[in-house]
Amino acid sequence: MDLFVLSHVNKIYKIDKKRTFYALRNVTFSLPYTGFVSIVGKSGCGKSTCLNMLSLIDAPSSGNVYFQNKDINKFNDNKKSAYLLNEIGIIFQNFHLIEDEDVIYNIMLPYLISGHNKKEAHHAAEELLKKFQIKKDLYKQKCDSLSGGEKQRIAILRSLINNPLVLVCDEPTGALDKTNSKIVMDLLKNISKEKLVVMVSHNKKLVDEYSDRIIEMCDGKIIRDNYKITTDIKYVKNEKKHAKRASNWLNHISFKNIKRRFKRNIFTILSIVFGLVSTYIVIGFSLGKDKSVINESYKQFDYGSATLSKETSKPISNSVISISQTFKPSLVEKEELMEKFDQFFYVDNLDAFISPVSTILIGENIIENITCYPIYSFEDQSIDKQLLIRGKFPFSNNFAHVVINKSAYELILNQYKINPLNLSVRIKNQFETIYYPSDELEGIKDTFILDTNLTIDGVVDEFSFLDTPKIFYSYIGAADYLNSITLNNLSNFVHRDISWLSRIEMISANDPLSSYSYRLFLKDSNNKDYLKKVISTINAPFVLTSGAFIRESSLIELVNAADSTMKLFLVVILLGTIFIIGILSFFCYNEDKKRSAILSAIGARKGDIFSIYINESLFYVLIGYLISLLITIPITNLANSIISKHYYFHSIINLSWDKFLEVPFFIPIIVFITCIFVALIATLFPMVFSKKISIKDELQNI
Ligand code: ADP
Ligand code: MG
């Protein structure tokens, strides 16, 4: 029985669209289980092509190649690599050892691939080295330091370790000198006593000296074959080979690859770290922004102050436009609302008298851009007393005693070089009103003149977003003040004192003096959420307006916009990182094509080779992941402290060790799983789309 039977094998190459070339023409022969068979012929006659038919490096265009009666070209991928691993050893002209590994590892490798552990493999390799009398000091030598003859012997031993049935050797002495050629030929001859050795060679002398059988080829055909049928050929039963494959050997190779390329890949790790830290920070920002912004925006001294007005709109007939008007709500309406929303003080709006834009002077100098706002009282809990940073709150609610915010403090200090504390500033405002007792009578004109001194008792800290210099006066103090000054002409007319405060009660809902609104103050400054709730629940036509709330809302909008932008940016960063991992594995894979071809030739499966690169990417991702895990919190803290210094937000990125390590490790675990997934995709994708590794292209000298 024969080991191999080639039956009518043709190999046709397409040269161009029209022309074809027959590298093998109807080649038919069989090979026994033992002996030394040489294939000879002129260069280009098809010797290597013929040999490649046995080693699966090439497949016939037509015809069949049988190995122990099985058509090897009908094997599936796994069977093919098992065949390469266990049944056949391929010897190349250029040895193709893994050069940066030592001798013993190279010999062990096919044994490791076939599922033996390191110890067994080491032992088997040592046995083999001893059997073939390789000097002991070569065992641990790196292959790149060996001579050609030594390399070829090691390559032969490597092909023997899984005890194959056949060695196929393509010009095994082609790169060797005479002495080494002889050593290698002796070795092969020796092996051919137990196994089949098929060799392609140019060297007629060696062929004649060593071969049991010579097949001569010309132009793809066999022209001579001195096959002597020997009767003593026995059928060699295939011993049971290790069926289960192990993957430990992959780790060693991956590890070596990582070591080899580590320096170059620091950049990759950095980009992974960058991507991951960005991810964590964006997540932290999303988690922390609302709370941080709201906490900060509560630091507005007049947060609880709002105006209540009534808005009506009348459509203009035959037009899409309507006229909208704002009024002060009526007393009845006010009382209804007071009942419904009872956490406010409801008072008259004094803005017409003490205008937010009243003129403020230091001596004769007007302070530009400073505005005046009321708070309810310095004495009760309607104000947030914690905001005081300098001086004190006025002892009582006296209009003449005010506090300013930090921004006003800095304005006065920087522009006028005066310490604002205890400074007296002048407030001025003026307007005329006319009272018409009846249609016939002439109107009674009175002039309101506000011109008084305000002493700055304290400074409050305010949240700096849209923060303008402000003076806060006590509403109660202001009302007292307005109650104490009378309208002279009107008082004379009615023969009793009419104060400016009581004048407000007399005016109509659309008089400018009414400011078209009531002023509301939150009774308890801790109840800031209540203000928000009322603003969102109050129904038309009533409108509750709060400057502080508007500032807060616009800030939240701004921060949300920043959040969306960051998320978008993150997508770009992550795509970039995926791209970098992809490029990395693409280059590694392509750079190592020859190595991979060697591994394929000794029987590694396609999946094994992919695994090597997946391991490598996973390693980088894992390192990046761990580094990012370690540095995210310190970076977050740094970022938070920089942000809080410049923008006033505290902990806007809501990440901390306890948050991070919180059961069930939510964020890091999700990120980890995503990382693994991304690494797999980013690695596999370019490999699947790379050109298939061809042993012939990578390892053969055509
Ligand atoms: P040799 O006898 O020198 O080993 P080969 O078996 O390598 O010759 O090649 C046989 C012939 O087939 C040569 O003429 C070679 O140019 C041709 N050949 C080999 N591979 C290819 C290919 N991929 N495409 C076209 N022609 C090829
Ligand atoms: Mg050749």
Side-chain angles (χ1 to χ4, degrees):
M1 197 173 177
D2 295 311
L3 180 62
F4 279 105
V5 175
L6 270 75
S7 159
H8 306 289
V9 171
N10 288 298
K11 180 71 193 180
I12 307 163
Y13 287 114
K14 265 204 167 115
I15 300 170
D16 49 41
K17 272 188 184 160
K18 282 181 196 149
R19 287 179 305 158
T20 52
F21 174 78
Y22 275 75
L24 293 179
R25 275 174 208 271
N26 200 19
V27 170
T28 300
F29 64 87
S30 54
L31 297 169
Y33 272 86
T34 59
F36 199 117
V37 180
S38 294
I39 302 175
V40 295
K42 280 191 217 128
S43 177
C45 71
K47 305 182 296 291
S48 296
T49 310
C50 186
L51 203 66
N52 290 348
M53 294 296 146
L54 308 180
S55 57
L56 283 172
I57 291 176
D58 244 338
S61 306
S62 66
N64 306 86
V65 180
Y66 297 100
F67 172 81
Q68 293 187 322
N69 287 332
K70 277 175 236 123
D71 189 335
I72 56 173
N73 291 298
K74 296 212 168 105
F75 287 171
N76 62 20
D77 275 359
N78 277 351
K79 264 203 172 147
K80 277 182 181 165
S81 44
Y83 171 74
L84 291 176
L85 182 63
N86 297 316
E87 317 293 8
I88 190 166
I90 309 172
I91 312 294
F92 299 94
Q93 181 177 336
N94 289 328
F95 334 118
H96 295 314
L97 297 169
I98 298 180
E99 298 272 327
D100 54 2
E101 296 283 356
D102 61 17
V103 164
I104 205 152
Y105 180 80
N106 266 279
I107 298 175
M108 279 161 70
L109 190 53
Y111 210 62
L112 290 170
I113 297 177
S114 66
H116 298 89
N117 66 30
K118 226 171 165 179
K119 211 172 144 196
E120 292 167 342
H122 200 274
H123 181 73
E126 239 172 21
E127 290 292 298
L128 210 56
L129 283 160
K130 267 185 220 156
K131 181 175 166 191
F132 290 95
Q133 290 150 18
I134 306 290
K135 278 183 289 172
K136 230 181 162 146
D137 39 338
L138 281 191
Y139 291 12
K140 286 279 162 209
Q141 210 154 310
K142 278 237 173 97
C143 288
D144 51 11
S145 65
L146 302 180
S147 73
E150 286 166 338
K151 279 184 188 176
Q152 195 59 299
R153 273 185 292 161
I154 301 309
I156 292 169
L157 296 200
R158 177 179 67 182
S159 72
L160 287 177
I161 194 153
N162 276 331
N163 199 16
L165 294 176
V166 54
L167 294 194
V168 295
C169 321
D170 196 346
E171 312 266 7
T173 59
L176 303 180
D177 60 20
K178 226 171 162 184
T179 332
N180 275 309
S181 294
K182 198 172 169 334
I183 297 171
V184 166
M185 289 304 283
D186 283 336
L187 179 59
L188 289 174
K189 182 74 193 175
N190 210 353
I191 294 163
S192 74
K193 285 174 193 148
E194 287 171 15
K195 299 174 191 301
L196 176 65
V197 174
V198 190
M199 180 184 79
V200 163
S201 181
H202 265 109
N203 193 325
K204 197 165 167 4
K205 212 172 144 249
L206 286 180
V207 168
D208 288 341
E209 190 182 338
Y210 287 92
S211 308
D212 300 323
R213 171 182 173 189
I214 300 171
I215 298 172
E216 194 178 338
M217 293 185 67
C218 183
D219 295 338
K221 280 182 289 203
I222 295 178
I223 53 166
R224 209 157 21 158
D225 185 352
N226 65 348
Y227 189 25
K228 293 189 276 313
I229 297 172
T230 41
T231 45
D232 63 331
I233 293 172
K234 56 190 184 300
Y235 176 70
V236 181
K237 198 157 172 24
N238 243 2
E239 63 191 273
K240 182 121 179 62
K241 299 279 164 70
H242 227 270
K244 202 172 139 266
R245 286 174 177 239
S247 52
N248 296 344
W249 65 279
L250 295 174
N251 299 342
H252 176 89
I253 295 187
S254 305
F255 178 70
K256 281 277 171 124
N257 283 352
I258 289 164
K259 224 167 118 183
R260 203 151 44 90
R261 287 191 271 255
F262 190 74
K263 259 196 198 149
R264 207 179 65 192
N265 285 325
I266 286 178
F267 176 71
T268 312
I269 296 179
L270 286 182
S271 74
I272 293 168
V273 170
F274 181 69
L276 289 179
V277 171
S278 311
T279 307
Y280 287 128
I281 286 183
V282 171
I283 293 173
F285 183 77
S286 270
L287 291 178
K289 65 176 174 32
D290 288 343
K291 204 168 154 233
S292 174
V293 167
I294 289 169
N295 274 348
E296 295 313 318
S297 64
Y298 278 173
K299 287 192 196 152
Q300 300 188 68
F301 195 57
D302 58 345
Y303 196 95
S305 162
T307 56
L308 173 69
S309 51
K310 182 180 165 187
E311 252 179 37
T312 58
S313 66
K314 276 188 222 143
I316 300 176
S317 51
N318 304 327
S319 167
V320 286
I321 304 168
S322 55
I323 294 176
S324 111
Q325 252 187 313
T326 306
F327 300 98
K328 183 173 182 174
S330 70
L331 263 175
V332 179
E333 286 164 342
K334 181 185 94 170
E335 254 142 46
E336 264 173 34
L337 288 167
M338 276 172 83
E339 228 168 82
K340 208 164 153 197
F341 305 116
D342 60 351
Q343 297 298 308
F344 294 110
F345 297 115
Y346 289 72
V347 291
D348 291 319
N349 192 343
L350 306 181
D351 282 2
F353 299 87
I354 302 152
S355 158
V357 290
S358 303
T359 310
I360 306 289
L361 301 113
I362 297 179
E364 294 305 314
N365 301 319
I366 296 175
I367 314 178
E368 305 281 356
N369 302 325
I370 193 159
T371 42
C372 302
Y373 292 102
I375 51 97
Y376 186 67
S377 150
F378 285 115
E379 288 181 323
D380 66 24
Q381 56 179 2
S382 68
I383 54 165
D384 185 351
K385 297 212 162 96
Q386 283 175 3
L387 295 180
L388 187 79
I389 48 168
R390 282 198 172 79
K392 56 184 182 347
F393 283 120
F395 177 64
S396 64
N397 289 310
N398 183 335
F399 182 56
H401 287 269
V402 295
V403 297
I404 56 174
N405 68 358
K406 203 162 116 187
S407 191
Y409 179 84
E410 277 159 9
L411 175 82
I412 296 171
L413 195 66
N414 295 336
Q415 227 160 1
Y416 301 93
K417 313 287 174 215
I418 312 170
N419 181 4
L421 266 190
N422 302 320
L423 180 72
S424 203
V425 294
R426 229 169 117 197
I427 183 165
K428 279 172 86 171
N429 193 26
Q430 185 171 339
F431 60 82
E432 277 180 354
T433 58
I434 301 174
Y435 178 74
Y436 296 96
S438 71
D439 286 349
E440 296 93 58
L441 287 170
E442 218 179 287
I444 300 159
K445 208 196 282 182
D446 271 292
T447 306
F448 174 78
I449 300 171
L450 173 70
D451 188 352
T452 183
N453 285 334
L454 307 173
T455 305
I456 299 167
D457 280 9
V459 181
V460 288
D461 191 15
E462 280 202 301
F463 164 58
S464 63
F465 178 71
L466 295 182
D467 176 24
T468 50
K470 286 177 207 150
I471 294 178
F472 297 106
Y473 60 90
S474 149
Y475 177 86
I476 306 241
D480 281 351
Y481 175 73
L482 292 180
N483 205 22
S484 71
I485 39 178
T486 52
L487 291 86
N488 293 335
N489 297 335
L490 187 59
S491 300
N492 282 341
F493 179 75
V494 296
H495 305 296
R496 66 182 168 86
D497 280 353
I498 292 179
S499 73
W500 281 102
L501 187 67
S502 56
R503 176 77 179 89
I504 294 180
E505 285 152 17
M506 298 156 71
I507 55 174
S508 61
N510 58 356
D511 190 299
L513 268 192
S514 70
S515 302
Y516 314 112
S517 59
Y518 281 104
R519 189 165 280 284
L520 269 57
F521 293 103
L522 210 53
K523 287 180 183 167
D524 181 355
S525 76
N526 293 320
N527 211 358
K528 289 175 180 118
D529 289 338
Y530 183 77
L531 174 74
K532 267 186 238 175
K533 215 175 76 195
V534 176
I535 288 178
S536 62
T537 52
I538 201 163
N539 290 326
F542 302 107
V543 182
L544 198 65
T545 314
S546 146
F549 179 76
I550 289 170
R551 280 191 288 276
E552 180 184 304
S553 314
S554 58
L555 180 63
I556 287 178
E557 243 165 67
L558 209 71
V559 171
N560 282 342
D563 185 44
S564 307
T565 312
M566 278 168 82
K567 280 178 183 153
L568 204 71
F569 191 56
L570 180 68
V571 171
V572 176
I573 291 177
L574 290 182
L575 285 179
T577 311
I578 293 172
F579 188 70
I580 287 173
I581 300 173
I583 291 273
L584 158 84
S585 48
F586 180 80
F587 278 119
C588 292
Y589 181 72
N590 282 294
E591 177 180 277
D592 287 358
K593 266 194 165 158
K594 193 169 159 191
R595 256 166 209 271
S596 303
I598 295 174
L599 292 173
S600 297
I602 59 179
R605 287 176 299 190
K606 207 162 125 191
D608 295 336
I609 290 165
F610 279 8
S611 301
I612 292 172
Y613 297 93
I614 288 175
N615 282 352
E616 199 171 340
S617 306
L618 283 181
F619 172 81
Y620 293 122
V621 168
L622 210 70
I623 294 282
Y625 176 79
L626 290 176
I627 295 177
S628 68
L629 212 57
L630 286 178
I631 66 170
T632 295
I633 301 297
I635 287 183
T636 302
N637 292 342
L638 184 73
N640 273 336
S641 78
I642 292 173
I643 291 170
S644 72
K645 216 183 232 162
H646 294 279
Y647 301 100
Y648 231 89
F649 297 108
H650 297 289
S651 315
I652 194 158
I653 306 166
N654 184 12
L655 284 179
S656 57
W657 286 114
D658 36 326
K659 184 117 209 154
F660 228 49
L661 304 177
E662 220 169 50
V663 181
F665 303 100
F666 184 70
I667 299 170
I669 283 192
I670 295 278
V671 171
F672 182 74
I673 293 170
T674 315
C675 276
I676 301 290
F677 187 70
V678 164
L680 290 181
I681 300 283
T683 311
L684 274 176
F685 206 70
M687 281 202 289
V688 170
F689 286 93
S690 290
K691 200 173 151 261
K692 219 180 139 200
I693 292 175
S694 142
I695 298 176
K696 183 174 163 178
D697 293 347
E698 300 300 328
L699 305 183
Q700 264 184 344
N701 322 340
I702 309 170

